[in-house]
Amino acid sequence: MSCGWPSSTSFVERELFTEFLMNAHSLVEKGEPVTGEKLTAVYCDLLKRYYGHAKGVMKIDDKYCIEWAFIPHFYRGFYVYNYATSQAGATYLADDLSHNGAAAQKRFIDLLSAGGSDYPYTLFKKAGIDFATPVVHRALEARMNKIMDEMEKLLAEK
């Protein structure tokens, strides 16, 4: 279903994956049994909600509901969350570079030059990217909305 990074579809998919992991961990915290059947049901519900199954946007065949078991991202700690967060940050960085030129370029080069010298959150914050605020994620939301507006315009022209 994913078109690959840095597509907006991929971001939505990573958000779905993150919610799946959160729900799976929630089951454990509640002391509920975590079975393949239960995880399949949780994943299926998310697939159908995210892709608008009930509204007829996209039909999700029940065969896709077992997909969670084949996704290697789920077997690495916080991988999915980091992926989605990085996409939001990259979109914010790209917007910053296109609007603020040399100043943004310096912040970006300083960020890259810092390597692993500090926690990622701290390094990004020094570069002007504060993931604790909605501004970073809104850049990606704006990009997604722009793409959707363009698609609707193209469809209306038919």
Side-chain angles (χ1 to χ4, degrees), residues 58-78:
M58 181 181 220
K59 182 179 178 348
I60 301 296
D61 190 296
D62 286 341
K63 292 174 190 165
Y64 286 105
C65 297
I66 191 69
E67 178 186 43
W68 67 268
F70 303 99
I71 299 173
H73 305 356
F74 296 149
Y75 305 103
R76 295 192 169 147
F78 296 105

Side-chain angles (χ1 to χ4, degrees), residues 81-137:
Y81 170 79
N82 287 325
Y83 195 106
T85 302
S86 296
Q87 283 183 287
T91 301
Y92 184 86
L93 269 171
D95 286 352
D96 191 30
L97 286 165
S98 67
H99 292 103
N100 298 313
Q105 184 178 16
K106 175 155 179 19
R107 286 192 299 277
F108 181 57
I109 290 170
D110 289 347
L111 171 64
L112 295 176
S113 298
S117 63
D118 206 341
Y119 291 105
Y121 177 81
T122 305
L123 295 174
F124 277 100
K125 196 166 181 181
K126 287 178 186 174
I129 303 166
D130 187 354
F131 285 105
T133 67
V135 120
V136 177
H137 303 282

Side-chain angles (χ1 to χ4, degrees), residues 28-48:
V28 172
E29 290 170 3
K30 292 177 189 172
E32 294 184 26
V34 180
T35 63
E37 188 175 286
K38 180 66 175 176
L39 292 174
T40 298
V42 167
Y43 190 77
C44 197
D45 174 64
L46 290 170
L47 271 179
K48 289 180 177 183

